[in-house]
């Protein structure tokens, strides 16, 4: 088999530098098996893992979209991101969330999604891919607040905003695994 596609430059560079698989894994903060399986072609690591490996090896970030293209795409997502915020305004208000902070968080999520976009693995457009990531991210954020507000000592010190926000989240149709 052997490494192909986005992992081939990583393998080639590791070999050029004479770094062992174990050493690369240690330097990148990933498990040895990830590097080994990548090199024999039985696993393609996530984009994030590949970036860690590339950084250690001095390779440029893996991209399908240039920085300029990413910035142009992101500018077109400004309004849709605000629409997601407005659709969830009631919950965000109950959480006492600063909407500008929420926007920054979702904008960063969109930028990262654009950077991770791989047209060979997604039939969606890059804009759709980024917005799906934004929508999942905001729902995960609600779940995070729910879990953090109802565990340990925090459960004894719940502010009314957190309690109300849970009601709003449930009314909004969000479902959480228990």
């Amino acid at each position: 088999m052997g490494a192909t596609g986005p992992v081939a430059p990583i393998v080639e560079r590791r070999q050029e530098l004479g770094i062992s698989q174990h050493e690369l894994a240690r330097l990148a903060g990933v498990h040895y098996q990830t590097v080994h399986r990548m090199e024999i072609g039985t696993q393609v690591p996530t984009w994030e893992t590949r970036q860690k490996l590339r950084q250690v090896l001095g390779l440029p970030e893996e991209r399908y979209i240039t920085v300029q293209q990413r910035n142009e795409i992101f500018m077109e997502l400004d309004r849709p991101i605000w629409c997601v915020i407005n659709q969830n305004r009631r919950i965000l208000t109950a959480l006492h969330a600063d909407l500008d902070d929420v926007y920054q968080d979702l904008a960063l999520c969109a930028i990262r999604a654009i950077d991770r976009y791989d047209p060979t693995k997604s039939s969606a457009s890059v804009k759709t891919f980024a917005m799906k990531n934004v929508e999942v991210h905001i729902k995960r954020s609600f779940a995070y607040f729910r879990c953090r507000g109802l565990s340990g000592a925090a459960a004894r010190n719940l502010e009314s905003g957190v309690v109300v926000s849970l009601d709003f989240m449930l009314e909004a149709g969000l479902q959480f695994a228990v």
Side-chain angles (χ1 to χ4, degrees):
M1 272 192 211
T4 60
V7 299
I10 296 170
V11 175
E12 290 169 12
R13 181 69 173 159
R14 180 192 69 74
Q15 292 170 344
E16 282 174 14
L17 295 174
I19 298 173
S20 71
Q21 292 178 354
H22 285 283
E23 184 67 7
L24 177 58
R26 185 187 67 75
L27 292 170
V30 301
H31 195 277
Y32 160 74
Q33 287 295 326
T34 301
V35 175
H36 177 70
R37 290 179 185 140
M38 171 190 76
E39 291 204 10
I40 62 172
T42 60
Q43 176 182 343
V44 177
T46 64
W47 184 87
E48 288 86 358
T49 299
R50 292 193 311 267
Q51 299 327 296
K52 288 178 185 179
L53 296 168
R54 293 175 76 85
Q55 184 178 18
V56 166
L57 296 170
L59 292 170
E61 189 174 78
E62 177 184 317
R63 294 181 173 272
Y64 290 96
I65 296 173
T66 67
V67 173
Q68 181 178 351
Q69 290 171 323
R70 180 199 62 199
N71 293 342
E72 290 169 5
I73 293 165
F74 174 72
M75 294 307 293
E76 295 176 26
L77 297 178
D78 181 66
R79 187 178 181 106
I81 291 170
W82 277 109
C83 287
V84 168
I85 292 170
N86 287 326
Q87 290 167 352
N88 294 284
R89 185 178 291 268
R90 202 168 75 177
I91 297 168
L92 293 168
T93 301
L95 289 170
H96 304 291
D98 181 293
L99 298 184
D100 288 329
D101 287 346
V102 172
Y103 173 80
Q104 289 177 8
D105 189 40
L106 295 179
L108 184 57
C109 174
I111 289 168
R112 287 180 175 155
I114 295 167
D115 283 342
R116 282 193 321 270
Y117 179 73
D118 180 347
T120 65
K121 294 183 180 176
S122 178
S123 60
S125 72
V126 65
K127 291 177 195 173
T128 301
F129 179 78
M131 287 309 298
K132 290 287 183 193
N133 276 264
V134 165
E135 291 165 4
V136 166
H137 184 75
I138 197 165
K139 288 178 183 176
R140 282 186 185 152
S141 297
F142 295 154
Y144 170 80
F145 282 115
R146 176 179 186 252
C147 293
R148 297 280 296 173
L150 293 177
S151 63
R156 293 186 290 278
N157 299 317
L158 290 176
E159 295 179 7
S160 61
V162 175
V163 174
V164 172
S165 70
L166 293 175
D167 291 337
F168 282 127
M169 289 190 300
L170 294 173
E171 288 174 13
L174 295 175
Q175 298 184 11
F176 302 98
V178 180

